[in-house]
Amino acid sequence: MYQCSDIVAVKNAEDLGTADSIRLIHEKIHTDFLVISCDLITDVDICEILNLYRKHNASITALMLPVPKIPDDFVTPGPKNKQKPETDLIGICNETGRLIFLASASDFEDTIKISQTFLQKHPSFTMHSKLMDSHLYVINKWVLNFLVQNKNFTTLKGELLPYIVRKQFSKPSKQCTDDKNASVVQMNLKDDIYYFAVEKPLDELIRKMSAYNDHGTDLEDAYHGDIIRCYAHISNGKFGLRTNTIQMYHLANTKISEWWNNDNDGQSPVPIIAPTATIRSTQMQDCYVDNNVLIEEKTSLKHTHIGPNVTIESKTRISQSVLMESANVKQRCVIQNCILGSGCVIEEGSELKDCIVGYKHIVPSGSQYSRDVLTDANDLIVI
């Protein structure tokens, strides 16, 4: 028997963080849950992350990926600027895989202070600066209950996750320990994370009776008796990035055929053409063509991704570009390393290099642009 899932739209989502959005739909979530960013592209086996979460009955388990390497000859469409992606500092225990530190490098100037409690629990750890938080998390239900009561958290990655990672090194207050059944209002415990992070009696009994120990430096209980436990799964040998910037979006389109054609014996990838596309060109190399596309004769296309309902007229050359849905390129145009937004029109005889053309924007006939953003106000790219 199959159960259908609900698709819930969050109104005005552009003004909300991930934590805010989850809080708004919390009544739809009845158990532990998975959060995946819609801009994540990866071939990681998600079962590996789920198994790590289940193995340790974690509070949160996060997927970490190597920071994508930008080729030296890679050019991002648009004006020249020095791309400075945010660098995360991610501390992972070498012995246990616990996620024990998470912060942005911009939060520190020259030094990072590490507490004595931190070092006693995890004397051997690696502080990574070349890992990327992929925004894929497996989250325990009690974390959601805590989030619902604490509305000051708006984002997962920037606020809630670092907070919970830090809380691994704290202990429950005596008030929480003495009476778990007391009124939240009377005891003013709704801000105390340990009111929500309660280990089930059976899980606590199994942990205490088991001979398993996740560390070898002392005779303390498994997990040092920590109820809050965060883990990081590092996936090496897999590809992955988040297309949350123009640079990463363009890189993904440039590299995706290479990533997914590793079994092609090193030969040039064969164009992938949807069955409803009409192709009259005989000069196509490493192109992806979606449904209802019309490509006229005497055109040359290389290393280009073409969305649905796109029209490309004759005597046009396009290379290393992305054409979104319903883009229209007229005759005798030259398009190189560009992103053409949905519904845009490139009039005949235009030459564009390293440009971004916005949603439904019209580029006049005979135009020549290089490293420009061509768009109407507030209409850059609509996906």
Side-chain angles (χ1 to χ4, degrees):
M1 181 177 179
Y2 294 95
Q3 182 177 1
C4 294
S5 300
D6 290 339
I7 297 176
V8 183
V10 178
K11 295 182 179 180
N12 302 318
E14 63 273 10
D15 299 324
L16 300 176
T18 310
D20 288 327
S21 299
I22 292 173
R23 189 184 295 113
L24 286 174
I25 63 170
H26 74 274
E27 294 179 350
K28 299 282 186 178
I29 305 172
H30 306 291
T31 184
D32 301 353
F33 60 103
L34 186 68
V35 175
I36 304 177
S37 174
C38 64
D39 55 34
L40 174 63
I41 300 175
T42 183
D43 65 344
V44 172
D45 184 354
I46 200 170
C47 289
E48 297 175 0
I49 300 100
L50 295 173
N51 289 339
L52 178 63
Y53 174 82
R54 295 184 183 113
K55 177 181 177 181
H56 298 289
N57 192 21
S59 303
I60 296 178
T61 298
L63 170 64
M64 304 295 176
L65 294 165
V67 173
K69 185 177 180 180
I70 308 297
D72 294 335
D73 59 350
F74 181 77
V75 178
T76 303
K80 280 188 177 180
N81 55 22
K82 292 184 178 179
Q83 298 284 341
K84 292 185 177 179
E86 181 180 354
T87 300
D88 291 324
L89 297 178
I90 301 171
I92 300 175
C93 179
N94 297 329
E95 190 176 11
T96 65
R98 287 274 290 270
L99 177 60
I100 55 178
F101 189 92
L102 180 63
S104 173
S106 60
D107 294 338
F108 305 93
E109 294 183 359
D110 299 319
T111 59
I112 301 173
K113 294 182 179 180
I114 303 296
S115 69
Q116 186 175 359
T117 303
F118 185 108
L119 293 174
Q120 287 175 344
K121 281 189 174 184
H122 304 284
S124 174
F125 68 93
T126 300
M127 189 70 76
H128 298 269
S129 62
K130 300 294 184 182
L131 285 180
M132 173 188 72
D133 183 342
S134 69
H135 214 292
L136 188 156
Y137 312 114
V138 190
I139 303 178
N140 199 295
K141 178 63 164 59
W142 74 256
V143 176
L144 176 63
N145 298 336
F146 172 74
L147 179 63
V148 170
Q149 291 294 332
N150 292 268
K151 296 181 173 57
N152 53 312
F153 295 103
T154 62
T155 66
L156 283 184
K157 191 255 182 182
E159 297 173 0
L160 182 63
L161 183 56
Y163 175 80
I164 292 179
V165 168
R166 291 195 303 271
K167 279 294 183 177
Q168 293 177 106
F169 300 97
S170 64
K171 293 295 182 183
S173 65
K174 188 174 185 300
Q175 199 175 22
C176 266
T177 306
D178 289 346
D179 190 356
K180 291 285 185 183
N181 296 318
S183 166
V184 175
V185 176
Q186 288 178 351
M187 298 183 66
N188 195 28
L189 292 176
K190 69 177 182 179
D191 294 329
D192 193 322
I193 194 169
Y194 282 98
Y195 183 84
F196 301 91
V198 180
E199 198 169 28
K200 296 177 181 178
L202 182 58
D203 291 335
E204 182 180 7
L205 180 63
I206 291 172
R207 177 174 57 81
K208 290 183 177 180
M209 295 184 66
S210 172
Y212 170 77
N213 198 330
D214 66 327
H215 54 278
T217 58
D218 52 48
L219 297 178
E220 295 287 339
D221 291 344
Y223 310 112
H224 293 280
D226 296 339
I227 298 174
I228 300 175
R229 299 189 290 272
C230 299
Y231 286 85
H233 175 77
I234 302 177
S235 185
N236 293 310
K238 301 288 186 178
F239 72 78
L241 55 73
R242 292 186 61 198
T243 58
N244 54 348
T245 64
I246 293 291
Q247 183 186 48
M248 289 296 103
Y249 175 78
H250 196 55
L251 179 65
N253 281 282
T254 301
K255 290 291 186 180
I256 199 72
S257 60
E258 176 185 323
W259 290 335
W260 260 304
N261 282 281
N262 289 333
D263 298 330
N264 206 24
D265 299 326
Q267 300 177 6
S268 297
V270 177
I272 296 179
I273 300 173
T276 59
T278 302
I279 311 296
R280 296 184 179 130
S281 171
T282 58
Q283 301 180 62
M284 293 184 64
Q285 179 184 347
D286 188 17
C287 293
Y288 287 72
V289 182
D290 212 325
N291 286 303
N292 301 316
V293 168
L294 172 60
I295 301 176
E296 294 288 4
E297 60 184 358
K298 299 180 182 179
T299 54
S300 173
L301 295 97
K302 298 179 180 179
H303 314 293
T304 293
H305 291 247
I306 303 170
N309 305 308
V310 166
T311 299
I312 301 173
E313 297 188 4
S314 60
K315 300 178 183 179
T316 286
R317 291 182 285 125
I318 303 176
S319 62
Q320 298 174 313
S321 297
V322 178
L323 282 65
M324 294 185 180
E325 181 178 4
S326 300
N328 191 340
V329 182
K330 302 292 188 177
Q331 296 184 25
R332 300 190 306 279
C333 291
V334 179
I335 312 292
Q336 180 180 346
N337 196 50
C338 294
I339 299 175
L340 307 186
S342 301
C344 72
V345 179
I346 315 300
E347 296 288 3
E348 63 182 43
S350 297
E351 296 184 12
L352 305 179
K353 181 180 180 181
D354 304 328
C355 291
I356 300 172
V357 181
Y359 174 68
K360 290 190 175 181
H361 184 77
I362 299 175
V363 177
S365 175
S367 298
Q368 294 185 350
Y369 291 100
S370 177
R371 284 199 166 280
D372 279 310
V373 176
L374 311 173
T375 183
D376 300 322
N378 302 319
D379 283 334
L380 180 56
I381 291 177
V382 177
I383 299 178

